[in-house]
């Protein structure tokens, strides 16, 4: 019995369960104060086995994601520019407020910056912050580069380009 018991323990066939965390929050129209987005579909592209969720009237959503893992999420709503985001999930439940923009709002922002907008090209909005330090707003002073080169980086104060900035401002945003 002494030899059999350790073998039985070593041969345990139960697979290790993946720890899941709940991401919940609101999805907003980034150009409208309290402009909640109803009916947007949020899908975990990197985990097609996870069912997509749809935001409700006040823009709220709730989604279970694997903890401490890089995931790719896509958000789609007719009349808005689709959003695709890669991020490392946290180890605990998290509340996340996200924004989407209509094409006209994005075009207007580029026009204000004096940058030609081409809707046929992709764009990259980067927000720099350090959640490990409990930071939920932006991190100032980060400079960026993109290879291959495109237009940018354009550092953004809220919804306004800051043409004088050479690194992220306190909101931590940059746009390519």
């Amino acid at each position: 019995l002494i030899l059999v018991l350790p073998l039985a323990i070593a041969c345990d066939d139960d697979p290790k369960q993946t720890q899941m965390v709940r991401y919940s929050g609101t999805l907003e129209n980034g150009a409208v104060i309290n402009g909640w987005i109803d009916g947007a579909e949020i899908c975990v592209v990197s985990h097609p086995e996870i069912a997509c969720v749809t935001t409700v009237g006040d823009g709220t959503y709730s989604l279970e994601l694997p903890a401490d893992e890089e995931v790719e999420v896509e958000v789609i709503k007719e009349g808005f520019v689709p959003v695709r985001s890669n991020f490392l999930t946290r180890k605990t439940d998290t509340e996340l407020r996200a924004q989407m923009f209509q094409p006209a709002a994005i075009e207007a922002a580029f026009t204000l910056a004096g940058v030609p907008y081409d809707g046929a090209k992709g764009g990259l909005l980067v927000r720099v912050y350090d959640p490990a330090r409990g930071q939920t707003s932006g991190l100032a002073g980060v400079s960026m580069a993109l290879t291959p080169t495109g237009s940018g980086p354009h550092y953004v104060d809220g919804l306004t380009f800051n043409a004088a900035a050479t690194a992220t401002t306190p909101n931590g945003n940059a746009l390519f």
Side-chain angles (χ1 to χ4, degrees):
L1 281 176
I2 293 174
L3 294 175
V4 174
L5 186 57
L7 289 175
I9 292 171
C11 294
D12 185 5
D13 288 333
D14 289 340
K16 199 172 197 182
Q17 292 290 333
T18 301
Q19 179 189 352
M20 302 295 280
V21 292
R22 179 169 299 282
Y23 269 71
S24 58
T26 56
L27 182 62
E28 304 172 16
N29 179 336
V32 177
I33 295 173
N34 295 328
W36 316 122
I37 299 177
D38 179 28
E41 185 176 64
I42 303 171
C43 298
V44 185
V45 177
S46 57
H47 285 277
E49 73 279 5
I50 296 175
C52 298
V53 299
T54 302
T55 59
V56 294
D58 61 356
T60 57
Y61 67 91
S62 182
L63 183 63
E64 293 279 328
L65 297 172
D68 198 27
E69 183 177 312
E70 185 175 333
V71 296
E72 182 175 1
V73 175
E74 183 175 52
V75 184
I76 299 172
K77 169 69 176 170
E78 187 175 333
F80 288 83
V81 175
V83 175
R84 201 172 262 231
S85 179
N86 289 36
F87 58 95
L88 180 63
T89 60
R90 297 183 184 178
K91 295 178 183 180
T92 59
D93 293 350
T94 301
E95 189 169 319
L96 185 65
R97 199 175 92 208
Q99 297 178 332
M100 292 182 82
F101 293 89
Q102 294 171 314
I106 293 173
E107 186 172 351
F110 274 87
T111 300
L112 287 171
V115 178
Y117 174 73
D118 183 350
K121 293 183 179 179
L124 176 63
L125 173 64
V126 179
R127 170 168 264 179
V128 181
Y129 67 101
D130 187 354
R133 295 182 181 161
Q135 186 179 16
T136 57
S137 59
L139 181 63
V142 177
S143 59
M144 297 177 204
L146 181 67
T147 304
T149 60
S151 174
H154 306 285
Y155 298 103
V156 185
D157 291 327
L159 294 176
T160 307
F161 286 103
N162 183 336
T166 58
T168 56
T169 57
N171 73 11
N173 289 347
L175 182 67
F176 290 89

